[in-house]
Amino acid sequence: MSEVEVTFQLHTILQVQTPNGRITALRHRMVNGQSIEDALQDLGIQISPEETLIVVNRQNVGVDYQPKDGDVIHLIPAIAGG
Amino acid sequence: MNVWRIDLANQKFSLEEVPAHWEQIGGRALIAQVLLDEVNPLCDPLGPYNKLILAPGLLVGHMLSSCDRISFGGKSPLTGGVKESNAGGTTGLKLVYLGIKTLLLENAPQDDRWWVIYLNKDGAKFESAQDIVGLGVYATAEKLLERYGKDVAIALIGPAGERLQLAAGIQNLDKDRVPSRIAARGGLGALMGSKHVKAIVIDAKEGVKPEIKDLESFKAAQKRFTKSLMDHPQTKIYADYGTNAMPGMSDGFGGMPTRNFSAGHFEGLERIRGETMREFLLQRGGEAQTTHACMPGCTIRCSNVYADEKGKAIVSPLEYETVGLLGPNLGIDDLDMIARMNYEINDLGLDTIDIGAALGVAAEAGLMEFGDAKRAMELIQEIRKGTVLGRVLGNGAAVTGRALNVRRVPVVKGQAMSAYEPRAIKGTGVTYATSPQGADHTAGLTIRAKIDHLDPKVQAEVSRTVQINMAGYDSLGACVFAGNGFAGVPETIKQLIEARYGWEVAENFLQELGKKAIKLEREFNRRAGFTAADDRLPEFMTYEPLPPNHSVFDVSEQDLDHIFDNL
Ligand code: SF4
């Protein structure tokens, strides 16, 4: 089973404050063919798919997207503008 | 409620009943109707025949969360077309307490005198402004609060408005009496300056809260709306990060305007984004506040107070559009410097979006290096000094582009784009192109939509829907972010309006109002000489690929020309 390594880039309220600073990104190794949903479950990150934009290569994708090696996956709690 | 008219030629005040067809509209829609009824679309925007119109939205006056906005309008000195620009703060609420449906500043002064228009329950008085002419926005507000007491609301202009600069806005006091809530867009500060009105002071101490026909029903709807708003996940994000939660999202789509709209990704993003700003503010303490309400009763509190390393306030609020246009757009990644520039531009009474865009154009022309914040500040000081260069910059990006012979000028209808690149977020490009207001993010952003933002075919429909909704909210006096609450319980809009006024309105009252506003605005623009050619983005965006997506703006002309068919 081949593996891929991806980075989850966390935005706004998904960033977690720890004694060692703010966690803004998580590296993750996952089985090739697994979806973002699977990965989030492994990482224990809960998102509401309706209220979160998942952006890979500057494109919206769904939780069923299967990441490729090296993907940077932005998890952006949706906001309507500034 | 009544129509209040202020005649600047004769220093007269008069009060009239509201014409029947103005009754059931407010804010943005009412401004468009007044313009069509009373202002010659071909008039000189800075001449005697234009009018400055103040119109609170239909829901203003009840401290309903985030629903007390005031709309200013007139024929735009910047675009030459219809203009509505709205702001938070306390102006709207207090005007309604005086029973003002709309306030019209008419005709031209016959001499050099400048005025403070003082409004209270007995009407309007003309008081001399000679002692405050030339002062910056902050000093002006301080003097007026000393003179009139702490309970008044104030709408005022800075030196830029006095000098009729086309990027001048109108500032309003926030709930803490800071004159930071600016109706920034379209040069309405210059229109106010053309009337020689430095400030409008609204003393509603003896005013009365507007009558509510069915209090119980109003309260029930209010409760459901407030709960929906408080429960909405976006409300927490705006409270924690303010509108500066946006940079990561814009940049994530390759849509962060960078170095005068020549790229969509900014390498200094981490240093300017809201998450970093929040960390600064929490560390710095003192006067810094990560969350703050611009008007009484707002439960979202997207505003903030940005403070320096010693905890001393620099500016309030620091917002995404300003960060975008004075930051990445100028290649600048220093939030403290961006905040200081913001303060200066506010004090001059100018729109940070149009000035940020003008500075980007000036950088392109070689007047500053991108990234040189010190030089950017020097250019802002040129505006204060009133040098020839400063006078050019103070007129915004379109004039600056012409004066400096730059062709990459990010404007539509003469008004600068805000911090969403239309080649990466094409639906917002459709809004920029087709809004009767000129390029304006508040006219309808599409970045939240889960669509392929690069696919030209799906953008017009999304843009049309949000443009109609936004025009509706602007006519209700509701802040954009109150829309998150209404979206969950849309029926409360009808309930609130019916309970407040005793009317019977359609289920989709919001959309009806929005459509009406846009229809009237387009008609005014048509009579002012606008054609399909004005509903276009700058040409360079159709052939200059924007990195990192390497996309151009390619939504069809057909889609742009027919977006508002069957309104
Ligand atoms: S959400 Fe922000 S802009 Fe809107 S009313 Fe509240 S503080 Fe003002």
Side-chain angles (χ1 to χ4, degrees):
Chain A
M1 247 187 309
S2 66
E3 283 197 338
V4 296
E5 185 169 297
V6 300
T7 305
F8 283 96
Q9 200 74 48
L10 308 173
H11 290 242
T12 63
I13 48 174
L14 291 174
Q15 296 191 350
V16 188
Q17 201 64 47
T18 72
N20 300 325
R22 214 164 14 106
I23 298 178
T24 59
L26 296 169
R27 284 262 178 112
H28 184 60
R29 291 191 73 80
M30 56 194 286
V31 175
N32 197 2
Q34 279 192 319
S35 68
I36 288 181
E37 196 170 17
D38 298 328
L40 292 178
Q41 216 159 36
D42 288 350
L43 286 164
I45 297 177
Q46 283 189 355
I47 59 160
S48 138
E50 263 303 290
E51 293 297 334
T52 311
L53 298 183
I54 306 172
V55 179
V56 180
N57 288 325
R58 301 177 298 281
Q59 283 283 352
N60 278 314
V61 298
V63 279
D64 55 349
Y65 174 82
Q66 296 171 358
K68 297 181 192 43
D69 195 44
D71 271 353
V72 177
I73 302 156
H74 292 266
L75 298 178
I76 311 177
I79 43 172
Chain B
M1 295 189 93
N2 288 294
V3 177
W4 290 34
R5 291 184 191 271
I6 310 282
D7 175 356
L8 273 304
N10 305 297
Q11 288 103 55
K12 286 224 170 79
F13 156 72
S14 62
L15 192 142
E16 286 168 16
E17 282 189 5
V18 179
H21 69 297
W22 293 10
E23 280 281 355
Q24 298 203 359
I25 50 178
R28 181 168 159 188
L30 180 55
I31 282 168
Q33 186 69 63
V34 174
L35 280 172
L36 273 177
D37 289 351
E38 300 199 359
V39 174
N40 178 355
L42 299 176
C43 75
D44 168 8
L46 298 174
Y49 307 124
N50 199 5
K51 300 187 183 194
L52 180 66
I53 307 160
L54 279 69
L58 286 173
L59 287 176
V60 175
H62 308 283
M63 288 195 225
L64 206 58
S65 180
S66 337
C67 290
D68 279 330
R69 285 179 86 84
I70 176 69
S71 290
F72 294 82
K75 175 168 172 171
S76 168
L78 185 72
T79 71
V82 69
K83 178 51 59 189
E84 184 267 358
S85 183
N86 61 61
T90 53
T91 303
L93 186 70
K94 304 255 162 149
L95 283 175
V96 170
Y97 282 5
L98 291 183
I100 299 175
K101 171 84 175 171
T102 178
L103 175 78
L104 307 175
L105 268 53
E106 306 178 331
N107 295 325
Q110 306 291 310
D111 54 37
D112 292 338
R113 286 177 297 172
W114 280 82
W115 301 104
V116 172
I117 307 291
Y118 172 80
L119 310 175
N120 70 4
K121 71 161 196 350
D122 299 322
K125 278 197 234 149
F126 289 73
E127 301 195 344
S128 173
Q130 292 312 128
D131 59 326
I132 49 173
V133 168
L135 290 183
V137 160
Y138 294 99
T140 301
E142 218 168 278
K143 290 241 177 208
L144 290 172
L145 286 165
E146 261 167 42
R147 199 196 293 177
Y148 294 101
K150 301 276 183 217
D151 291 332
V152 295
I154 306 176
L156 71 148
I157 59 171
E162 292 173 29
R163 295 177 196 154
L164 310 184
Q165 294 197 296
L166 301 183
I170 300 173
Q171 255 107 340
N172 297 269
L173 299 187
D174 71 7
K175 73 165 185 19
D176 301 316
R177 304 180 191 88
V178 178
S180 57
R181 310 311 304 193
I182 180 165
R185 316 261 25 222
L188 293 174
L191 171 49
M192 187 153 149
S194 74
K195 307 291 184 203
H196 282 189
V197 174
K198 176 74 173 167
I200 303 166
V201 173
I202 306 130
D203 182 347
K205 278 197 290 294
E206 292 172 86
V208 283
K209 288 188 185 159
E211 182 201 5
I212 294 174
K213 293 272 193 234
D214 182 346
L215 190 59
E216 219 168 284
S217 167
F218 190 90
K219 280 195 168 156
Q222 175 173 15
K223 208 167 150 197
R224 294 188 59 222
F225 158 65
T226 311
K227 181 166 182 338
S228 166
L229 185 59
M230 294 302 288
D231 290 348
H232 198 285
Q234 290 188 28
T235 297
K236 176 159 171 51
I237 303 174
Y238 284 119
D240 282 357
Y241 305 95
T243 56
N244 204 26
M246 280 309 300
M249 191 162 159
S250 298
D251 200 84
F253 287 113
M256 173 57 85
T258 300
R259 289 180 287 277
N260 191 32
F261 287 73
S262 65
H265 163 65
F266 182 50
E267 55 294 340
L269 186 81
E270 287 307 317
R271 288 185 287 280
I272 55 124
R273 61 192 297 168
E275 295 89 332
T276 308
M277 181 175 92
R278 179 175 164 81
E279 201 164 73
F280 279 1
L281 298 184
L282 289 172
Q283 278 165 7
R284 290 173 175 188
E287 291 168 359
Q289 288 182 42
T290 54
T291 182
H292 173 263
C294 83
M295 61 175 66
C298 172
T299 51
I300 308 170
R301 307 171 86 238
C302 82
S303 173
N304 55 43
V305 179
Y306 189 90
D308 67 13
E309 280 179 340
K310 297 196 177 95
K312 177 128 192 39
I314 300 177
V315 77
S316 166
L318 185 57
E319 302 247 19
Y320 170 62
E321 305 302 337
T322 303
V323 170
L325 271 295
L326 295 173
N329 184 51
L330 303 183
I332 293 171
D333 61 6
D334 178 340
L335 269 183
D336 284 9
M337 278 306 287
I338 293 169
R340 286 182 210 288
M341 289 193 271
N342 188 357
Y343 178 87
E344 288 299 314
I345 296 169
N346 280 0
D347 194 49
L348 287 162
L350 287 162
D351 172 13
T352 51
I353 295 176
D354 235 297
I355 297 303
L359 292 174
V361 169
E364 174 116 13
L367 294 182
M368 68 172 260
E369 294 282 335
F370 285 111
D372 185 349
K374 197 168 150 265
R375 178 65 185 146
M377 186 63 111
E378 281 168 13
L379 291 176
I380 294 167
Q381 294 310 333
E382 298 277 329
I383 306 177
R384 192 177 289 281
K385 286 186 225 145
T387 62
V388 174
L389 175 58
R391 288 191 223 179
V392 169
L393 293 168
N395 284 323
V399 168
T400 301
R402 290 203 157 221
L404 303 179
N405 305 104
V406 173
R407 287 177 56 212
R408 189 188 291 126
V409 183
V411 300
V412 179
K413 301 182 178 69
Q415 183 168 283
M417 293 173 188
S418 45
Y420 306 86
E421 230 304 340
R423 284 165 286 182
I425 321 287
K426 293 182 185 176
T428 298
V430 174
T431 301
Y432 287 162
T434 58
S435 169
Q437 300 288 337
D440 187 342
H441 64 291
T442 68
L445 287 174
T446 61
I447 192 166
R448 165 72 175 86
K450 287 196 173 186
I451 54 172
D452 177 353
H453 291 296
L454 297 178
D455 178 358
K457 294 195 192 66
V458 300
Q459 309 299 331
E461 201 187 317
V462 181
S463 170
R464 176 186 155 108
T465 304
V466 283
Q467 286 200 63
I468 290 170
N469 285 342
M470 289 318 306
Y473 287 129
D474 289 342
S475 305
L476 291 175
C479 174
V480 186
F481 307 133
N484 293 329
F486 285 124
V489 284
E491 66 285 357
T492 56
I493 294 176
K494 174 179 161 73
Q495 283 163 11
L496 285 165
I497 290 289
E498 292 188 341
R500 157 78 177 88
Y501 293 99
W503 308 330
E504 213 174 290
V505 298
E507 293 292 334
N508 58 347
F509 182 65
L510 177 75
Q511 287 76 22
E512 297 280 295
L513 208 50
K515 285 182 186 176
K516 176 155 195 163
I518 292 173
K519 222 173 179 167
L520 294 169
E521 290 173 345
R522 283 172 63 83
E523 180 56 18
F524 184 84
N525 278 357
R526 191 189 65 76
R527 293 186 199 174
F530 283 59
T531 66
D534 297 293
D535 286 346
R536 295 291 182 272
L537 292 190
E539 197 180 58
F540 78 89
M541 290 186 165
T542 65
Y543 61 77
E544 203 177 271
L546 179 82
N549 286 315
H550 302 290
S551 52
V552 296
F553 186 77
D554 52 1
V555 174
S556 74
E557 301 204 327
Q558 169 86 2
D559 276 5
L560 298 179
D561 290 343
H562 294 282
I563 181 167
F564 291 125
D565 284 359
N566 311 314
L567 262 189

